[in-house]
């Protein structure tokens, strides 16, 4: 259903944002904003992060299933990249609103990996180079300036990874990534028995950190880099985990940072972004679930389609949301963690 203003009815149909208002009032929440969605406010702390009059804007649509937004700074004009998984493409949004295709295909028709789809999560390494988590090619790759790609990781102990999903870089130069099984529906092609969380060292070594989550997905770091957050995309155990990062880069025993199982809305934990204050803007039940550093759910940004990921762009205070077939954005008061302009 297309979003409309919450201030009126049209043609006897309850507008999207008006429905949100009715639901939220019954739960004692406040709904504000407008445009293509609304903001559900569960705690006054959210007011310091997003304006009461914030308007959600749809900037693109008609995609297959979009994921992994990453802002790429450039002297020639910065831009947003995002994955269109079933279309096997990486798409680009320029500052003037122009949409184009940046990479096609991600996975060549003759790929020997046996995976499906294109890329999922996108990120920048410490040098600002684009990193792709490639479902179809079952690897993590770096996009070079000449358009070629370099494989950074595709195996653990000689066995091919399943389908790398999301990745985040630590200031030490190592990276952390998730490897669920979504990109390998044919179980006979899987060489690793579990869905894992891994560390990729600077020298290219892949280290298994945890294989206890059924569907590890989005991944991110706290501002002080002492905590690794991981979303578990499970329809029942809808949780975000927190793992302490040890001095050697390994992780300690994980704990549940936030359990979204009680949220009465559709959706599972998926990709997320962390702001400079340590709040997590996470795709989850009902929209972009905002979780504060203590693990408290303080609000939800709702759009007409269920979001799959989020990332900061523009001046660092714009949150881009990839949601099924559409790309949305909303202005915030807070900047993305270690955002590069």
């Amino acid at each position: 259903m297309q979003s409309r203003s919450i201030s009126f009815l049209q043609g006897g149909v309850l507008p999207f944002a008006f429905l949100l208002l009715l639901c939220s009032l019954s739960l004692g929440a406040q709904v504000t904003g407008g445009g293509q969605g609304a903001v559900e406010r569960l705690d006054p702390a959210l007011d310091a992060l997003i304006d009461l009059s914030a308007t959600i804007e749809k900037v693109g649509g008609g995609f297959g299933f979009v994921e992994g937004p990453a802002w790429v700074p450039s002297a020639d004009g910065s831009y947003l990249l995002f994955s269109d998984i079933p279309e096997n493409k990486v798409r680009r949004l320029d500052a003037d609103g122009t949409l184009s295709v940046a990479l096609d295909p991600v996975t060549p028709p003759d790929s020997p990996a046996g995976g499906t789809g294109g890329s999922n999560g996108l990120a920048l390494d410490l040098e600002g180079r684009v990193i792709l988590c490639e479902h179809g090619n079952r690897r993590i790759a770096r996009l070079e300036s000449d358009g070629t790609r370099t494989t950074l990781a595709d195996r653990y102990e000689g066995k091919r990874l399943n389908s790398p999903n999301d990745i985040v870089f630590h200031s030490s130069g190592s990276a952390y990534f998730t490897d669920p099984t979504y990109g390998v529906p044919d179980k006979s092609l899987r060489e690793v028995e579990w869905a894992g969380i891994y560390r990729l060292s600077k020298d290219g070594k892949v280290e298994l950190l945890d294989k206890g989550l059924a569907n590890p997905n989005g991944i991110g770091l706290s501002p002080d880099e002492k905590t690794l957050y991981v979303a578990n995309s499970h329809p029942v155990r809808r949780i975000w985990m927190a793992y302490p990062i040890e001095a050697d880069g390994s992780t300690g025993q994980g704990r549940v940072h936030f359990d979204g199982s009680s949220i009465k809305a559709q959706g599972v934990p998926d990709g997320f972004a962390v702001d400079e204050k340590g709040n997590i803007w996470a795709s989850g039940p009902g929209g972009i679930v905002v979780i504060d550093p203590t693990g408290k759910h303080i609000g939800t940004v709702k759009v007409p389609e269920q979001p799959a990921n989020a990332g900061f762009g523009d001046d660092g205070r714009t949150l881009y949301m990839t949601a099924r077939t559409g790309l949305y954005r909303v202005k915030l008061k807070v900047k993305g963690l270690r955002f590069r302009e």
Side-chain angles (χ1 to χ4, degrees):
M1 182 183 295
Q2 184 177 356
S3 169
R4 299 181 178 91
S5 168
I6 65 175
S7 61
F8 65 90
L9 301 179
Q10 182 175 341
V13 177
L14 287 174
F16 173 76
F18 189 77
L19 288 171
L20 294 179
L21 176 62
L22 292 179
C23 294
S24 297
L25 286 176
S26 67
L27 297 173
Q30 178 188 18
V31 173
T32 64
Q36 296 289 315
V39 180
E40 180 187 42
R41 297 172 184 270
L42 303 176
D43 190 286
L46 189 65
D47 297 348
L49 307 179
I50 183 169
D51 196 85
L52 289 169
S53 61
T55 298
I56 298 168
E57 177 187 5
K58 185 174 183 178
V59 293
F63 309 122
F65 186 103
V66 287
E67 259 275 11
W71 186 256
V72 182
S74 171
D76 300 324
S78 302
Y79 53 90
L80 183 80
L81 292 180
F82 57 103
S83 300
D84 193 334
I85 299 175
E87 296 297 320
N88 197 15
K89 298 173 181 177
V90 173
R91 299 186 183 274
R92 170 172 168 162
L93 174 71
D94 285 293
D96 63 1
T98 300
L99 283 161
S100 59
V101 175
L103 185 60
D104 180 20
V106 176
T107 306
D110 59 350
S111 173
T116 61
S119 59
N120 194 316
L122 305 176
L124 301 183
D125 67 10
L126 299 184
E127 297 181 34
R129 296 171 295 188
V130 175
I131 307 299
L132 303 94
C133 293
E134 300 182 357
H135 268 197
N137 291 319
R138 299 171 68 178
R139 68 175 183 176
I140 294 172
R142 182 176 64 229
L143 182 62
E144 308 294 359
S145 58
D146 61 359
T148 60
R149 278 174 276 168
T150 300
T151 299
L152 301 183
D154 63 353
R155 284 174 168 77
Y156 170 69
E157 294 186 344
K159 296 181 179 180
R160 190 182 292 275
L161 295 171
N162 288 312
S163 51
N165 188 284
D166 205 359
I167 188 169
V168 64
F169 280 82
H170 190 275
S171 61
S172 65
S174 63
Y176 297 88
F177 69 93
T178 54
D179 184 49
T181 59
Y182 306 128
V184 196
D186 185 347
K187 294 183 179 181
S188 68
L189 296 177
R190 298 176 189 171
E191 299 179 24
V192 177
E193 299 176 358
W194 54 80
I197 304 169
Y198 296 88
R199 175 175 176 259
L200 174 63
S201 67
K202 288 190 296 183
D203 60 6
K205 180 182 178 182
V206 177
E207 173 191 358
L208 177 65
L209 300 176
D210 189 12
K211 58 179 181 179
L213 294 183
N215 304 100
N217 196 310
I219 194 166
L221 291 167
S222 61
D224 61 7
E225 296 189 323
K226 293 182 179 180
T227 305
L228 179 72
Y229 298 116
V230 178
N232 184 47
S233 292
H234 193 275
V236 177
R237 197 166 184 241
R238 302 189 294 183
I239 59 173
W240 285 263
M241 293 292 293
Y243 297 86
I245 297 177
E246 310 293 351
D248 62 357
S250 64
T251 54
Q253 181 65 42
R255 59 176 174 79
V256 175
H257 183 64
F258 174 67
D259 188 340
S261 301
S262 63
I263 300 177
K264 304 301 182 183
Q266 294 184 342
V268 297
D270 207 315
F272 61 85
V274 182
D275 68 33
E276 60 186 355
K277 297 182 182 298
N279 302 289
I280 300 173
W281 299 78
S283 300
I288 297 295
V289 178
V290 189
I291 306 165
D292 79 3
T294 70
K296 182 180 181 181
H297 179 200
I298 61 174
T300 302
V301 180
K302 297 175 177 288
V303 293
E305 304 174 78
Q306 176 61 34
N309 212 329
F312 290 90
D314 298 340
D315 62 352
R317 294 179 175 84
T318 297
L319 187 74
Y320 281 91
M321 298 164 280
T322 50
R324 298 298 190 267
T325 66
L327 176 66
Y328 301 81
R329 67 185 173 195
V330 64
K331 292 292 293 183
L332 303 181
K333 295 179 178 180
V334 65
K335 198 171 185 178
L337 180 62
R338 288 189 291 279
F339 180 79
R340 297 186 180 94
E341 294 188 47

